[in-house]
């Protein structure tokens, strides 16, 4: 497998910088107007793992993690401290944080999703790496029980219900999640002298599709 189901140390990802990126092809026409098109349905996140390092012990942990992943070879989980749960930043997770589907009376398997809204527009992000033990699911205002009413695949973010819900019922969920990433370099350059002077190494990390 090209993905290791292990999380980059959360204490090191805290303090890193990063966020989503989009790819947009822009063509300027002869009349000055533009045509814009994006080949990506979903955004891709990038981070710098080096900025979370605070001690020489952190560098040792980073190098061990990097070597165990063989550089860019194997993906891993990453906690994005600015966006890691279904609820807003200041609130606890509840089972009705996100509506992930309107049931049709037939479908039993659903993808966890997070919706981002601005004005009248929205974007639904597939959640493929939920955190074990945090996922809550519900039908309308009724909370469901994992292992009884549904099962969860933590490697894909798919939930499977024991019975297909009635048509028109809203399936809702709450959860924490990680971002599937890999190192975006096969080389880490560190200097003890530079680090002690306050210069952290650059360690790029990029989201991958799984």
């Amino acid at each position: 497998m090209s993905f290791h189901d292990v999380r980059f140390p959360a204490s090191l990802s805290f303090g890193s910088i990063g966020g989503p990126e989009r790819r947009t092809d822009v063509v300027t026409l002869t009349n000055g107007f533009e045509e814009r098109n994006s080949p990506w349905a979903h955004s891709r996140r990038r981070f710098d793992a080096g900025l979370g390092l605070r001690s020489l012990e952190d560098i040792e942990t980073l190098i061990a993690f990097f070597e165990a992943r063989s550089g860019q070879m194997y993906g891993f989980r990453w906690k994005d401290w600015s966006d890691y749960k279904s609820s807003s930043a200041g609130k606890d997770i509840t089972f009705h944080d996100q509506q992930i589907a309107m049931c049709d009376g037939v479908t039993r398997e659903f993808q966890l999703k997070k919706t981002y809204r601005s004005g009248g527009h929205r974007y639904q992000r597939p959640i493929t790496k939920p955190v074990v033990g945090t996922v809550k699911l519900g039908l309308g205002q009724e909370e469901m029980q994992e292992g009884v009413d549904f099962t969860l695949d933590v490697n894909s973010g798919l939930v499977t219900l024991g019975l297909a819900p009635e048509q028109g019922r809203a399936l809702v969920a709450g959860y924490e999640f990680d971002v599937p990433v890999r190192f975006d370099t096969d080389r880490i350059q560190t200097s003890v002298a530079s680090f002690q002077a306050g210069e952290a190494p650059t360690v790029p990390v990029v989201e991958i599709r799984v």
Side-chain angles (χ1 to χ4, degrees):
M1 292 181 63
S2 60
F3 189 88
H4 290 175
D5 193 31
V6 59
R7 178 192 273 178
F8 185 83
S11 60
L12 302 190
S13 62
F14 186 80
S16 63
I17 63 171
E21 81 171 340
R22 289 279 182 172
R23 177 178 173 182
T24 307
D25 297 327
V26 181
V27 177
T28 303
L29 306 179
T30 55
N31 59 7
F33 285 89
E34 292 181 344
E35 288 186 354
R36 294 181 294 275
N37 180 63
S38 176
W40 291 2
H42 302 291
S43 55
R44 187 184 200 189
R45 282 154 175 79
R46 291 183 179 274
F47 305 95
D48 187 344
L51 298 181
L53 305 181
R54 298 170 182 82
S55 68
L56 296 179
E57 288 76 15
D58 288 348
I59 289 183
E60 290 179 352
T61 301
L62 168 66
I63 292 176
F65 194 91
F66 179 84
E67 293 285 25
R69 307 289 87 75
S70 299
Q72 300 185 75
M73 181 63 68
Y74 295 100
F76 53 92
R77 288 173 174 259
W78 172 276
K79 183 172 183 176
D80 177 3
W81 286 89
S82 66
D83 186 6
Y84 68 91
K85 58 183 180 177
S86 55
S87 62
S88 58
K91 295 183 179 180
D92 294 330
I93 294 170
T94 68
F95 71 88
H96 48 73
D97 287 339
Q98 301 285 327
Q99 179 175 312
I100 63 174
M102 288 297 293
C103 300
D104 58 11
V106 177
T107 305
R108 295 172 50 232
E109 188 175 79
F110 301 89
Q111 178 71 53
L112 290 178
K113 301 175 183 176
K114 182 173 182 179
T115 301
Y116 300 79
R117 293 182 175 86
S118 177
H121 300 273
R122 69 174 189 168
Y123 162 64
Q124 284 193 316
R125 175 187 180 185
I127 301 301
T128 59
K129 296 297 177 184
V131 176
V132 175
T134 69
V135 176
K136 302 178 180 182
L137 210 66
L139 279 172
Q141 297 302 311
E142 301 175 13
E143 186 169 5
M144 307 172 75
Q145 293 297 117
E146 184 176 356
V148 178
D149 303 307
F150 73 94
T151 58
L152 169 69
D153 185 345
V154 295
N155 295 313
S156 65
L158 290 174
V159 292
T160 303
L161 308 188
L163 297 172
E166 297 175 1
Q167 183 176 1
R169 298 199 70 182
L171 184 65
V172 291
Y175 44 79
E176 289 188 14
F177 62 95
D178 292 324
V179 184
V181 300
R182 63 167 171 81
F183 288 109
D184 197 22
T185 181
D186 275 325
R187 178 177 63 182
I188 292 181
Q189 292 181 304
T190 61
S191 165
V192 173
S194 296
F195 188 77
Q196 289 176 333
E199 298 178 15
T202 297
V203 187
V205 173
V206 63
E207 184 175 3
I208 57 177
R209 310 297 188 202
V210 293

